[in-house]
Amino acid sequence: MGLLMLDTSFPRPVGDIGNPDSFDFPLVIERIPGASVQRVVHGRAEGLLEPFIEAGHRLIEHGAVAIATSCGFLVLHQRALSAALPVPVASSSLLQVAWAGALLGPARRCAVMTFDADSLGPEHLLAAGAPLDTPVAGMPRGGALQSAILADAARLDVEAVRAEVLDVACSLVRADPRIGAIVLECTNLPPYAADLRRALAMPVFDSSTLLEWLWHAAAAKPPSRGSARHGPGTRRPSLDGRAGE
């Protein structure tokens, strides 16, 4: 699986898309210089499409049979990336909103939890093929997750983030009892997906569920865990989740 990675170094616990130990299949990773969280989330990745496409071609040269990205806000460029690259491209876990909604009865709906609700607008839902009235809730502004990621911090308070995630999800479901499934836009939220499934007793879709689906569709022979590979210029996260050389 090829991964187009933002230019970040904050900790990535197991479950995060940027930690190869999150998956039972190998990753080949290309980091995009200058692709900061601010520039992609708040700046709509302006000026970065060509570098992403070029990196995608390098991933294919290194054996990638499909390509994903490390930020769900790149759904805005789903069509451009899939048109430019000759393998399947999954730009965002938001692509699962329509699929998840189709699994639910007519009285239920799928909701989205995102890194930043103020930055995720109708154009993102439209690009994902999701209903424009999809309920959306974001992580707390200035909270443990946003602060660490926007500052590209060396430490991440996992327990504080876990508490934030559960609080946001429970508030979202209390506000709309029709919600029957949740999609996590942010690729840094899957480490807490199991907690959400237990707390909410409903399906939770994220970048992990998307990549597992795509891998099993695209790979001829799924290899065993622990065979992750990295492309040139990338850094493998160490055991504590920090991105190391």
Side-chain angles (χ1 to χ4, degrees):
M1 177 69 66
L3 180 61
L4 296 167
M5 180 82 86
L6 269 58
D7 193 6
T8 62
S9 58
F10 55 79
R12 293 180 177 272
V14 173
D16 188 298
I17 198 172
N19 188 328
D21 292 331
S22 300
F23 303 103
D24 288 325
F25 48 81
L27 295 178
V28 56
I29 299 173
E30 280 280 344
R31 191 177 301 270
I32 315 302
S36 66
V37 174
Q38 288 275 12
R39 191 171 176 187
V40 172
V41 173
H42 302 137
R44 303 166 65 93
E46 185 175 353
L48 290 171
L49 181 57
E50 283 307 314
F52 271 99
I53 290 173
E54 292 168 3
H57 283 292
R58 290 195 295 272
L59 289 173
I60 295 168
E61 291 173 2
H62 287 286
V65 297
I67 290 174
T69 85
S70 72
C71 181
F73 280 83
L74 286 165
V75 72
L76 291 176
H77 303 285
Q78 170 67 37
R79 287 197 177 190
L81 289 170
S82 59
L85 298 171
V87 300
V89 176
S91 65
S92 173
S93 58
L94 292 174
L95 296 171
Q96 297 170 106
V97 175
W99 312 342
L103 303 177
L104 305 174
R108 303 171 78 195
R109 64 198 308 201
C110 181
V112 167
M113 282 181 58
T114 177
F115 176 75
D116 185 349
D118 292 337
S119 297
L120 195 151
E123 63 271 32
H124 296 86
L125 297 173
L126 184 64
L132 295 182
D133 63 348
T134 297
V136 175
M139 298 302 293
R141 182 170 295 279
L145 182 71
Q146 278 205 7
S147 296
I149 289 179
L150 290 175
D152 208 17
R155 296 178 61 85
L156 177 70
D157 188 336
V158 171
E159 292 309 315
V161 175
R162 191 189 316 277
E164 288 181 353
V165 169
L166 288 169
D167 182 63
V168 170
C170 290
S171 297
L172 178 62
V173 172
R174 282 196 300 268
D176 189 345
R178 296 172 296 170
I179 294 172
I182 290 179
V183 170
L184 307 180
E185 169 277 318
C186 181
T187 62
N188 311 119
L189 293 181
Y192 318 99
D195 299 294
L196 290 178
R197 295 183 185 108
R198 283 190 292 267
L200 304 176
M202 66 177 60
V204 176
F205 300 84
D206 56 23
S207 53
S208 294
T209 61
L210 178 63
L211 265 65
E212 291 281 354
W213 170 82
L214 182 55
W215 172 254
H216 285 287
K221 182 181 179 182
S224 60
R225 182 183 291 274
S227 54
R229 294 181 294 138
H230 295 257
T234 63
R235 292 177 287 177
R236 178 186 175 90
S238 61
L239 293 178
D240 64 359
R242 290 281 299 151
E245 294 297 338

